[in-house]
């Protein structure tokens, strides 16, 4: 789960990580009030959306007076912000962060992620931080440093020194930087983060180290033990179909293609998406209804797939183990009755009670194609969509 910059900065304050003074606003008036509270100009007006690259897209501006705060607030609020992370359709801005301007001496890049290959916590840093970090990584990868931390030992002072020296930090800020990095590591671990990124982390002309930006992502499977973070969830920023699916406890992710698919088991679902690809088409979603799915969950999964108007064909691939084929068939028929299915349906099922399942489908009067195996299923559904 992603959160907004202003929320991440609230967490930073708890961990004594320096951030500029500021607050979130939903309208011009509140924006001006916050600026007054800050008491000096310039202040920065920043669009709050769950995507980076806002600076380049015109979502971050400096205001030198109360009047300018109001002007920038009015033009950013409601704007459709397009960045390299939003896709061409962009995202509508509904909140802005108003914060104190900072005298930047140098912009650094700093992030923390879990590294799956080494099972370590990885700190990535660069002294060439700021809005062109992607170019730095692509063209001068030697400017990106990586320090691996064994989570069983935690972060130690030599890790901090290694990052600080790699960043060529002036001696005057090394101590403060090391404290900040140590606290960020604690924050990362204690909150089950999957990403913590600060770009830029700045050194000010006054030799302070301040987080000017803050991006955080959390492991969804650990959110049950972080009720405070769950409260930061902003459904308006998430894909509407993903939100709908999460209400039903379905493992669903909306994708770009046009073949809807429903599968039981995440591994089988991945294999089905590959099969669709191999047959020359693209999946419209990932959907694992789970091993112990009920007819009702199958029905809900179906409703979600059908409410995605990209979908031109549906492939159902179920291996009947705990979820029996007759239960699946009932769910499909039930959903088909309630929702008008106007796209072809290819079903492949095998396993427990497969004969009963096939009978239910055959007698349902539904127009569907049956497949004998996965390859056949992928090819059948791709053919329908391509032709
Ligand atoms: P992003 O483009 O979505 O990553 O948004 P950022 O929060 O990183 O802001 C983009 C850029 O705006 C930063 O790299 C800074 O150069 C600039 N910026 C942000 N806050 C301030 C500030 O307080 N003072 C000045 N001078 N520049 C700022
Ligand atoms: Mn940034």
């Amino acid at each position: 789960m992603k959160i907004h910059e202003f929320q991440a900065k609230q967490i930073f304050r708890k961990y004594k990580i320096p951030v500029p003074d500021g607050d979130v606003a939903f309208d011009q008036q509140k924006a001006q009030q916050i600026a007054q509270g800050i008491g000096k100009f310039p202040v920065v007006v920043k669009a709050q959306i769950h995507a980076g690259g806002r600076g380049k897209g015109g979502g971050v501006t400096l205001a030198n007076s109360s009047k300018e705060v109001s002007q920038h607030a009015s033009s950013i609020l409601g704007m459709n912000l397009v960045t390299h992370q939003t896709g061409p359709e962009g995202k509508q801005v509904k909140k802005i962060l108003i914060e104190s301007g900072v005298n930047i001496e140098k912009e650094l890049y700093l992030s923390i992620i879990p590294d799956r290959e080494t099972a370590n916590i990885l700190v990535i840093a660069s002294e060439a931080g700021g809005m062109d970090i992607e170019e730095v990584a692509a063209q001068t990868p030697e400017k990106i440093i990586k320090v691996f931390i064994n989570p069983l030992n935690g972060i130690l002072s030599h890790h901090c020194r290694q990052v600080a020296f790699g960043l060529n930090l002036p001696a005057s800020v090394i101590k403060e930087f090391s404290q900040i990095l140590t606290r960020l590591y604690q924050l990362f671990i204690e909150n089950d983060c999957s990403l913590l990124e600060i770009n830029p982390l700045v050194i000010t002309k006054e030799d302070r180290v301040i987080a000017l930006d803050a991006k955080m992502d959390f492991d969804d499977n650990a959110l049950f033990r972080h009720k405070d973070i769950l409260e930061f969830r902003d459904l308006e920023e998430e894909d509407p179909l993903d939100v709908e699916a999460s209400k039903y406890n379905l493992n669903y992710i909306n994708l770009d293609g046009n073949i809807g698919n429903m599968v039981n088991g995440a591994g089988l679902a991945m294999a089905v998406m590959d099969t669709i690809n191999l047959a020359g088409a693209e999946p419209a979603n990932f959907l694992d209804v789970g091993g112990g799915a009920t007819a009702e969950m199958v029905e809900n999964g179906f409703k979600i797939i059908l409410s995605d108007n990209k979908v031109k064909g549906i492939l159902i691939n179920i291996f009947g183990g705990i979820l029996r084929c007759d239960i699946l068939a009932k769910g499909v028929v039930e959903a088909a009755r309630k929702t008008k299915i106007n796209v072809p349906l290819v079903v492949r099922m095998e396993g427990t009670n497969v004969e009963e399942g096939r009978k239910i489908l055959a007698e349902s009067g539904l127009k569907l194609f049956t497949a004998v195996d996965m390859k056949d299923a992928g090819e059948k559904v791709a053919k329908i969509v391509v032709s």
Side-chain angles (χ1 to χ4, degrees):
M1 185 189 88
K2 289 182 184 156
I3 62 173
H4 286 291
E5 176 191 7
F6 76 92
Q7 297 165 326
K9 284 178 170 169
Q10 285 172 21
I11 304 176
F12 280 18
R13 286 192 185 97
K14 262 200 233 162
Y15 281 81
K16 297 195 164 62
I17 292 147
V19 293
D21 275 351
D23 205 349
V24 66
F26 299 83
D27 56 49
Q28 277 167 272
Q29 236 185 341
K30 176 77 181 172
Q32 276 183 313
Q33 259 175 33
I34 298 167
Q36 262 158 25
I38 291 170
K40 62 175 182 6
F41 290 98
V43 299
V44 188
V45 181
K46 307 181 78 175
Q48 299 294 287
I49 55 170
H50 282 189
R54 296 161 303 167
K56 283 193 172 163
V60 179
T61 57
L62 282 178
N64 285 302
S65 65
S66 183
K67 196 173 153 214
E68 276 185 27
V69 171
S70 178
Q71 283 167 351
H72 293 304
S74 124
S75 57
I76 293 180
L77 278 168
M79 87 187 276
N80 191 49
L81 185 52
V82 181
T83 80
H84 64 276
Q85 287 185 12
T86 60
E89 66 281 4
K91 258 192 178 157
Q92 213 201 357
V93 181
K94 296 181 174 155
K95 310 168 180 74
I96 47 177
L97 172 63
I98 309 295
E99 67 179 19
S100 173
V102 168
N103 289 321
I104 302 173
E105 174 70 27
K106 191 166 184 184
E107 300 195 357
L108 311 169
Y109 174 92
L110 182 69
S111 66
I112 307 180
I113 52 166
D115 181 62
R116 288 170 203 282
E117 237 166 79
T118 59
N120 276 339
I121 302 296
L122 173 59
V123 175
I124 304 175
S126 176
E127 63 173 313
M131 295 196 277
D132 294 318
I133 190 67
E134 284 88 356
E135 261 164 58
V136 173
Q139 280 160 25
T140 45
E142 68 279 5
K143 286 193 181 154
I144 309 276
I145 58 164
K146 293 180 175 177
V147 173
F148 293 85
I149 301 173
N150 181 334
L152 297 177
N153 302 328
I155 191 163
L156 302 169
S157 52
H158 71 87
H159 296 122
C160 296
R161 281 197 299 276
Q162 207 181 331
V163 181
F165 294 156
L167 288 172
N168 284 316
L169 292 184
S172 53
V173 303
I174 288 184
K175 193 168 159 224
E176 188 178 11
F177 174 84
S178 299
Q179 278 175 350
I180 290 174
L181 182 56
T182 306
R183 290 177 189 143
L184 284 170
Y185 180 87
Q186 278 162 359
L187 184 165
F188 185 90
I189 298 291
E190 288 174 12
N191 294 282
D192 293 307
C193 295
S194 52
L195 166 81
L196 193 166
E197 183 186 66
I198 306 177
N199 184 30
L201 174 72
V202 300
I203 302 175
T204 68
K205 297 209 187 301
E206 301 82 22
D207 264 359
R208 298 277 331 272
V209 182
I210 300 182
L212 270 207
D213 196 4
K215 193 176 215 179
M216 291 179 80
D217 206 341
F218 299 87
D219 181 346
D220 290 347
N221 292 319
L223 282 171
F224 72 95
R225 55 186 188 191
H226 302 291
K227 301 274 183 284
D228 50 336
I229 286 162
L230 209 45
E231 278 176 24
F232 285 143
R233 187 165 179 200
D234 186 347
L235 295 178
E236 285 184 343
E237 292 288 324
E238 296 179 18
D239 184 294
L241 286 178
D242 291 358
V243 173
E244 192 66 16
S246 75
K247 282 189 206 153
Y248 298 131
N249 265 328
L250 291 169
N251 297 312
Y252 173 93
I253 298 165
N254 194 227
L255 302 170
D256 294 332
N258 57 11
I259 309 256
N261 60 90
M262 175 152 56
V263 188
N264 63 334
L268 191 56
M270 301 290 278
V272 165
M273 296 197 301
D274 282 349
T275 309
I276 292 172
N277 253 309
L278 281 174
E282 293 282 335
N285 66 279
F286 167 92
L287 171 57
D288 163 22
V289 283
T294 58
E296 196 191 353
M297 279 177 82
V298 170
E299 190 188 323
N300 290 334
F302 224 133
K303 272 193 224 155
I304 301 233
I305 293 176
L306 286 170
S307 60
D308 180 352
N309 49 29
K310 302 192 301 285
V311 170
K312 299 279 180 289
I314 300 175
L315 168 52
I316 297 185
N317 184 17
I318 300 286
F319 184 78
I322 301 169
L323 168 60
R324 292 163 10 211
C325 294
D326 55 324
I327 301 269
L328 165 82
K330 276 186 199 144
V332 170
V333 174
E334 202 55 35
R337 280 211 188 101
K338 292 184 188 161
T339 336
K340 215 176 111 233
I341 300 189
N342 45 10
V343 295
L345 188 63
V346 177
V347 182
R348 183 252 173 172
M349 57 185 185
E350 282 302 337
T352 313
N353 291 3
V354 68
E355 290 314 324
E356 285 98 314
R358 288 194 179 136
K359 194 158 165 260
I360 292 168
L361 290 178
E363 291 171 359
S364 68
L366 286 177
K367 187 172 174 271
L368 48 81
F369 304 86
T370 47
V372 291
D373 57 29
M374 270 175 70
K375 187 163 174 273
D376 184 38
E379 282 168 0
K380 276 192 173 130
V381 78
K383 202 169 153 199
I384 292 163
V385 174
V386 172
S387 63

